[in-house]
Amino acid sequence: MTVLDLLGAAEEVHDRAPVVELRGVTRQFPGDPPVHALHPTDLTVRAGEYLSVVGPSGSGKSTLLHLLGLLDSPTDGEYLLDGRPTSGAGERERAALRATRIGFVFQAFHLLPHRTVLENVLLATVYSGVPRAERRERAVAALERVGLAHRLDFLPTVLSGGERQRTAVARAVVARPAVLLADEPTGNLDSASSESVLALFDELHAEGLTLLVITHDDEVSARAQRRVRIADGRLQEIA
Amino acid sequence: MTGFVGALVEAWDELRIHKLRVLLALIGVAVAVAAITGVTAAVQMLSQAYQEQFDRDMGRQVTVAVDAWAQGEQSAPPAALATEYARVLERYDITWASRDLATQVPFRFPDGTRPTEVRAVDPDLGTMQRIQVVEGRWFDDADVDALAPLLVVNRAFLDRLGASDLSEPLTVQLGDVTPVRSRVVGLVEDRWRGAPPEAYVLYDQLTRWYTPDAAAGFYQPAPTLKMWVPPEIVDDLTPRLRSEIGAAVPGWEVGTYDNRSTGGAALDGATRWVALGVGAFALLLGGLGLVNIALVTVRYRIREIGIRRSFGATSGRVFVGVLLESVVATVVAGLVGVVLAVAAVKAIPADVMFGGLQDRPPFPVSAALIGMACATGVGALAGILPATVAVRVKVIDAIRY
C-alpha cells in the first residue's frame, strides 16, 4: 500500500488547485511596538510538492506553521487550503479542516503516553469522520506503512525516538490529509533516527503526499524538492 | 447520536486509563451515594414499620368506625342494629368490615375463673389491623360455624393457662355458669411488656355461646362496626351511615369516626429531609473533591487537549468529553454506591430493627433513582469547571515544545 492509497486521490493530484496558498498573509502580535511575526507573504504549494521552510530561531517559522495548520489566524491576507478560503471560517469549520485536510508532525512527537501506538493513530480517525468500522484497518495500514506493524500494542514510552516519530507520521497520514505539516521533525532525534524519518518523508513524497517541513537544519531542508528560507518574518525562495 | 456514543466511549477510555485517580476521586462519591440511597431506603422501611404499627393500633387507612349507644328503654333491640349493619355493608358493597366489641369474659384458668379482656371480632379484622399471629392461625370465615368457640390469645393468656406453645391442642372453659370448652387456635405477641391476658374471639361465636348478665337491658353494649374503605369515599359515606343506621334503629345514638387525621407515616416529613440533607451534604463534599482532582487533571492534560484540538477536536467536543468523563465516572460511582446501599439495606435485620415488618417493602426504586440522579448531577456540576478550563486551552501554547 502506498500513501496515495491512503490519500485516495492519486489521479486528481495534478489538476487540483494548490493545496496551500497564502495571499498577502501577515501576522502581527499586539505590543508596543507591535511585533511583525510574518510580513505580507505569498506562498503556493501544489499537490505532491515537498517544500521545506528553513530559518533560524525567531524567524517566524512557528508562526507560519500555526497559520498553515489553522491553529492561528492571519492579521491580514487570505489563506486558501485546498482552494478554500479560510479567513471567514468559524472554529468548528477550522477544526473540521484540521481533522480532514491537515496532518501534523511535531518535534516532540506529542503522542499520548497512556495510549498504545495503535490508539494514538486511531485518535486522528476519531475527529476526521472515518467510519468506525474502517478505523482500525486504516490505522494498522498506516502503521505498516511506517514500518511499525510489530509495535501496535506498545506504549509510546517504550519506543525509540525514531519509532515515536514514525508513529506520529502514521497518525498524521491516517486520515488522508491534503498536506502533512512537520515542525522540526528531526529536532529530537539522533542522526540515525533522523535519517530514517527523512527517508520515510522521501518515500511518502514519492508516493504523492504533499509535505511541508519547517526546520532550522539546512541538511533536513536540503531533502526537500523545493526550499524556502524565512528570516525576520519574510519568506524567500531558495533557488 | 453516533457522536455522543463516541464521546461516551472516549470518556470511558480516559477513565480506564486513569484508574487510580478516578478511583480516589470517586470513593467519596460512591460512599455519599450509598449513604443517600441507603438513608432514603431505610427511611422508607422505617416509614413502613411506623405505618404498620399505626395500622395495628388504629386500623389501615382509612378505617371508618360506627358506634351506637342505646338511649333508653324504648330503644330498638340490638338485633335490629346487627341487621342494619349487615344491610349497609351489602348496600355499599364494603369488602373489608368487622364488628369489634371489647368486653370481659370469664375463663377458667388453672388458678381459677378470671374475667379476661376479650375482643369479639370478625375474621376481616386480622387483615384490617395487620394482626400478626406468631403461632397457629387467625380466624377464617368457616370458623363462624365451628362447634366450639375458637380463640386467638396473647402470650400472657397462654402463660396463665400454663402452656408454652400451641404444639398440643389447647382448650379452656369460657363462661362461668354454663361454660363451654373453647379451643385456642392462634397466638399473638403481647402488645406491651406486662400486658394482661387477652383473647380474640369471633363475634358471632361469642354471642352464641356466652350471654353476659349485664348484656340485657339499658346501656347494653353494642359492637363497633369497622370498615376499611378507599379514602375518596369516606366523606360521602360517613354521613349516610349515620343517618341510615340512626333511622333504622330508633332510640340509638349513632356516631362515626375515621382514622385519617391520625394517619400518615411519621417519617415522611422533617426527619426524612434531615436524613436526605445529611446525604446531600456528604455528596457535595465528594463532588468538591472530584472538582478538585478534575481541575488538577485537566491542567496536567493540557498538552493532550492541545493535541486533540490540532487533530480536529472542536471545543464543543473537548467540553463534552471532559464533562462526560466526570459524569461517566460519577455514574459508575453512583452504581457502586447504590449496590452498596442495596447490600447494606438487605443485610439489615429489618424485623429486629423496625419491630416486625409484615410487608417488608422491596428496595425502593425511587431511592436508587435518587442516588443515581444525585451522582449524575454531581458529575455534571463537577465537570463543568474543568470542561470550561479545557476549552480555554490555547492549542498553540498546549503543543509548544
Side-chain angles (χ1 to χ4, degrees):
Chain A
M1 176 178 284
T2 70
V3 76
L4 285 182
D5 294 325
L6 287 173
L7 292 171
E11 60 287 350
E12 299 169 21
V13 162
H14 298 293
D15 299 331
R16 287 197 325 214
V19 175
V20 168
E21 187 175 2
L22 300 182
R23 292 181 185 165
V25 165
T26 64
R27 184 66 174 104
Q28 280 182 30
F29 293 102
D32 190 20
V35 178
H36 292 272
L38 195 64
H39 289 281
T41 299
D42 292 316
L43 178 70
T44 301
V45 182
R46 298 206 164 271
E49 274 193 309
Y50 181 0
L51 177 81
S52 68
V53 179
V54 63
S57 288
S59 59
K61 294 195 302 294
S62 294
T63 302
L64 180 64
L65 178 94
H66 295 151
L67 290 171
L68 293 172
L70 293 174
L71 301 175
D72 194 10
S73 299
T75 312
D76 203 2
E78 182 62 272
Y79 168 28
L80 292 94
L81 178 62
D82 241 7
R84 267 178 270 179
T86 61
S87 59
E91 199 273 337
R92 182 178 287 267
E93 204 178 333
R94 294 164 75 84
L97 283 171
R98 280 200 300 274
T100 56
R101 312 310 298 159
I102 299 169
F104 285 100
V105 174
F106 301 101
Q107 178 178 357
F109 323 129
H110 286 340
L111 299 172
L112 305 186
H114 300 294
R115 304 271 184 169
T116 65
V117 164
L118 181 62
E119 286 171 335
N120 266 282
V121 176
L122 281 169
L123 175 80
T125 66
V126 170
Y127 305 114
S128 57
V130 176
R132 192 177 293 274
E134 289 178 27
R135 287 179 191 167
R136 187 185 155 84
E137 189 188 334
R138 278 173 59 170
V140 170
L143 282 163
E144 279 173 358
R145 175 63 196 85
V146 301
L148 288 177
H150 58 303
R151 294 277 192 260
L152 299 186
D153 296 323
F154 283 54
L155 289 177
T157 44
V158 301
L159 300 183
S160 70
E163 286 176 324
R164 291 185 205 188
Q165 196 58 301
R166 281 190 280 150
T167 304
V169 172
R171 180 180 61 180
V173 299
V174 72
R176 299 174 179 165
V179 59
L180 179 72
L181 296 179
D183 182 15
E184 300 281 9
T186 58
N188 278 14
L189 301 180
D190 59 33
S191 54
S193 297
S194 295
E195 179 49 39
S196 77
V197 169
L198 291 176
L200 178 60
F201 280 179
D202 289 342
E203 290 167 24
L204 293 174
H205 170 234
E207 290 166 13
L209 180 65
T210 309
L211 282 128
L212 202 156
V213 177
I214 288 181
T215 180
H216 71 282
D217 187 336
D218 281 327
E219 279 187 37
V220 173
S221 167
R223 300 289 285 254
Q225 165 197 40
R226 187 180 149 210
R227 302 169 66 200
V228 172
R229 184 170 296 282
I230 184 168
D232 298 328
R234 294 175 206 279
L235 283 185
Q236 185 188 6
E237 196 97 21
I238 303 173
Chain B
M1 189 62 193
T2 311
F4 180 73
V5 172
L8 267 182
V9 171
E10 212 171 292
W12 175 250
D13 277 352
E14 279 305 316
L15 295 174
R16 196 172 45 78
I17 284 166
H18 302 282
K19 287 185 206 87
L20 184 63
R21 125 183 123 77
V22 170
L23 191 68
L24 289 174
L26 295 182
I27 285 174
V29 175
V31 169
V33 168
I36 211 165
T37 310
V39 164
T40 307
V43 162
Q44 289 200 16
M45 291 208 162
L46 210 51
S47 296
Q48 176 74 16
Y50 272 111
Q51 183 66 47
E52 289 189 8
Q53 189 56 49
F54 173 84
D55 291 348
R56 275 190 276 279
D57 293 340
M58 309 291 288
R60 295 194 194 225
Q61 292 285 315
V62 175
T63 297
V64 173
V66 179
D67 279 308
W69 303 270
Q71 296 296 298
E73 298 287 348
Q74 283 78 42
S75 299
L81 184 68
T83 308
E84 178 61 11
Y85 279 173
R87 191 192 66 78
V88 294
L89 292 181
E90 190 175 343
R91 172 169 182 193
Y92 293 106
D93 195 20
I94 290 166
T95 318
W96 297 96
S98 170
R99 288 162 292 182
D100 190 355
L101 175 69
T103 184
Q104 286 203 331
V105 173
F107 283 99
R108 290 191 183 179
F109 291 104
D111 57 351
T113 302
R114 289 172 180 273
T116 305
E117 298 291 333
V118 163
R119 277 177 75 183
V121 300
D122 288 313
D124 283 356
L125 193 81
T127 302
M128 291 167 64
Q129 294 201 209
R130 293 183 181 277
I131 293 169
Q132 284 181 298
V133 177
V134 293
E135 209 176 319
R137 63 177 180 85
W138 180 250
F139 305 117
D140 58 39
D141 290 340
D143 290 340
V144 176
D145 301 322
L147 295 177
L150 303 179
L151 300 175
V152 173
V153 303
N154 70 350
R155 198 167 286 282
F157 192 107
L158 204 65
D159 291 345
R160 179 152 290 175
L161 277 177
S164 58
D165 55 38
L166 299 182
S167 55
E168 300 290 326
L170 191 63
T171 59
V172 57
Q173 298 275 9
L174 181 159
D176 39 16
V177 185
T178 54
V180 59
R181 184 171 297 277
S182 57
R183 187 155 60 89
V184 177
V185 295
L187 174 69
V188 295
E189 291 295 350
D190 294 345
R191 282 188 291 160
W192 67 88
R193 192 184 294 274
E198 292 171 342
Y200 291 95
V201 62
L202 287 173
Y203 184 85
D204 287 334
Q205 286 201 319
L206 185 68
T207 52
R208 189 185 311 154
W209 297 107
Y210 173 72
T211 309
D213 295 339
F218 194 49
Y219 290 133
Q220 57 189 301
T224 301
L225 177 65
K226 290 181 173 175
M227 291 162 277
W228 178 25
V229 296
E232 58 274 13
I233 71 164
V234 175
D235 287 330
D236 191 35
L237 181 67
T238 48
R240 285 167 183 255
L241 290 174
R242 270 198 305 275
S243 63
E244 287 184 24
I245 297 172
V249 285
W252 290 73
E253 171 75 22
V254 178
T256 59
Y257 74 93
D258 64 73
N259 62 355
R260 281 180 300 181
S261 60
T262 48
L267 280 177
D268 272 352
T271 316
R272 187 169 185 212
W273 287 112
V274 168
L276 282 179
V278 172
F281 191 69
L283 195 61
L284 186 68
L285 290 180
L288 280 176
L290 190 64
V291 172
N292 199 5
I293 289 181
L295 272 176
V296 171
T297 309
V298 161
R299 298 215 173 275
Y300 166 76
R301 289 171 56 199
I302 276 180
R303 174 168 294 174
E304 178 200 323
I305 291 165
I307 295 166
R308 287 178 183 275
R309 295 290 298 277
S310 69
F311 277 94
T314 59
S315 54
R317 179 133 190 183
V318 169
F319 184 89
V320 171
V322 175
L323 187 71
L324 274 183
E325 276 176 44
S326 178
V327 172
V328 169
T330 53
V331 164
V332 172
L335 273 175
V336 172
V338 167
V339 169
L340 282 178
V342 172
V345 170
K346 291 280 179 198
I348 290 174
D351 290 351
V352 178
M353 288 192 66
F354 301 138
L357 278 183
Q358 194 176 35
D359 294 339
R360 182 180 172 133
F363 190 90
V365 175
S366 63
L369 290 179
I370 286 172
M372 289 309 296
C374 288
T376 311
V378 160
L381 284 175
I384 284 176
L385 204 56
T388 308
V389 170
V391 165
R392 290 189 177 170
V393 167
K394 286 193 170 175
V395 185
I396 293 172
D397 295 336
I399 60 174
R400 183 165 287 152
Y401 179 58

